[in-house]
Amino acid sequence: MIRDITIGQYYPAKSPIHRMDPRTKLFGTLIFIISVFLFHSVAGYAVATLFLAGMIIISQVPVKFIFKGLKAIFMILMITMVFNILLTPGEVLWKIGIFKITREGISMAVRMAIRLVYLVIGSSLMTLTTTPNQLTDGLEKSLRPLNKIHIPVHEIAMMMSIALRFIPILLEETDKIMKAQIARGADFESGNLIQKVKNMVPLLVPLFISAFRRANDLAMAMEARCYHGGDNRTQMKPLHYTRRDHIAYVVLFVYLAVAIGFRVMGR
């Protein structure tokens, strides 16, 4: 399951989406997330599905690579659906003891499952097509107006970039530690829930030690290079909008208009 997490990883390719300005991809991801919560009908989710499928095809990222990231949220998805089915009031279809399965609960569970899946896929598609450095530059430049109210935009963007960069590193470290512990006789699968939690201690302790050691090494390296934030820092690769970005913005605004139209019509 550790290797199934795709958020934070980058998949190199030469697709039009890879070559887009990171600000365009950040804005596109935000628009898609908003649209997922605007749609409430089969027709609306069909539009979102077509849009997402088109972006996946254009990105040239393998579909299997994108969808394997859903394995990591399987338990969260199941728990969310069960709670919505059993706790949403409405027209009762079946009654199991003190629990009631309602028509509205099933509908809400399906909508929440679709939203969660699409949010993960949409976010993963952005990180798979954008390097951490590009994401940092795009986020910093998009939020630059907040500097006027003394919000440290550069520092926030740098922290997010480091966090995204550490995700695949820590996943790889977790996999190595887990294999080493299994070779020494550790068992992470058998037993009840409490026993499984106890079995994770031999994994979590060295993982935390490794994470703090890497963070300390990074801080020392940045300090040794006299790193400091601020408005006077320049970029090695300045961001510039191109024709493909302008076309992408037009497509995104049309898609958002369709989503708002579906919402207004109650579809």
Side-chain angles (χ1 to χ4, degrees):
M1 183 176 291
I2 296 297
R3 293 182 177 274
D4 293 331
I5 299 177
T6 57
I7 294 180
Q9 299 186 33
Y10 175 70
Y11 185 89
K14 296 182 179 180
S15 71
I17 294 183
H18 282 77
R19 294 193 293 267
M20 281 183 184
D21 191 287
R23 292 170 292 178
T24 305
K25 287 180 275 190
L26 284 168
F27 182 74
T29 304
L30 178 62
I31 291 297
F32 181 73
I33 291 174
I34 293 174
S35 72
V36 168
F37 288 94
L38 289 177
F39 292 129
H40 286 279
S41 64
V42 176
Y45 287 123
V47 173
T49 303
L50 291 174
F51 179 81
L52 185 59
M55 294 301 102
I56 293 175
I57 293 173
I58 296 174
S59 70
Q60 298 179 9
V61 178
V63 177
K64 291 183 179 179
F65 190 82
I66 294 177
F67 277 86
K68 78 173 185 178
L70 298 177
K71 296 180 182 178
I73 65 164
F74 179 76
M75 289 302 300
I76 298 177
L77 189 63
M78 291 296 101
I79 293 173
T80 302
M81 292 184 66
V82 170
F83 271 85
N84 277 284
I85 291 174
L86 298 180
L87 301 180
T88 302
E91 180 184 349
V92 179
L93 299 179
W94 296 284
K95 187 174 182 180
I96 306 174
I98 60 174
F99 299 105
K100 298 178 181 179
I101 299 178
T102 63
R103 186 184 302 277
E104 290 77 7
I106 295 175
S107 176
M108 178 63 70
V110 173
R111 288 203 301 269
M112 291 302 295
I114 293 175
R115 288 172 179 173
L116 185 58
V117 169
Y118 281 17
L119 289 178
V120 172
I121 294 177
S123 302
S124 299
L125 189 61
M126 180 187 66
T127 58
L128 287 169
T129 58
T130 313
T131 64
N133 289 338
Q134 292 174 341
L135 197 58
T136 301
D137 294 341
L139 186 64
E140 181 180 357
K141 202 157 187 177
S142 299
L143 300 179
R144 184 166 292 177
L146 297 179
N147 282 328
K148 296 181 179 179
I149 55 177
H150 305 290
I151 294 179
V153 173
H154 175 78
E155 286 75 8
I156 293 174
M158 179 59 66
M159 286 189 294
M160 293 187 64
S161 173
I162 293 173
L164 286 173
R165 189 183 295 273
F166 263 61
I167 290 176
I169 295 175
L170 292 180
L171 292 179
E172 183 179 355
E173 190 75 18
T174 303
D175 188 59
K176 289 180 180 178
I177 296 173
M178 184 176 293
K179 289 180 179 178
Q181 297 291 6
I182 292 175
R184 292 174 173 84
D187 186 6
F188 299 104
E189 299 296 334
S190 62
N192 54 30
L193 182 61
I194 298 177
Q195 187 62 39
K196 288 182 178 179
V197 173
K198 291 181 178 179
N199 292 339
M200 294 297 290
V201 175
L203 173 64
L204 295 178
V205 173
L207 181 61
F208 272 103
I209 294 174
S210 175
F212 282 117
R213 184 184 297 116
R214 288 181 181 274
N216 183 63
D217 292 342
L218 178 61
M220 292 179 63
M222 295 173 70
E223 184 177 356
R225 289 165 174 80
C226 300
Y227 170 82
H228 63 88
D231 297 331
N232 297 324
R233 293 187 62 85
T234 58
Q235 297 176 343
M236 185 174 67
K237 296 180 180 180
L239 300 179
H240 298 289
Y241 283 124
T242 61
R243 185 171 178 268
R244 69 172 63 92
D245 295 300
H246 298 148
I247 296 174
Y249 273 114
V250 172
V251 173
L252 289 172
F253 280 117
V254 171
Y255 174 72
L256 180 61
V258 171
I260 295 175
F262 271 80
R263 181 67 174 182
V264 171
M265 293 186 296
R267 299 179 61 184

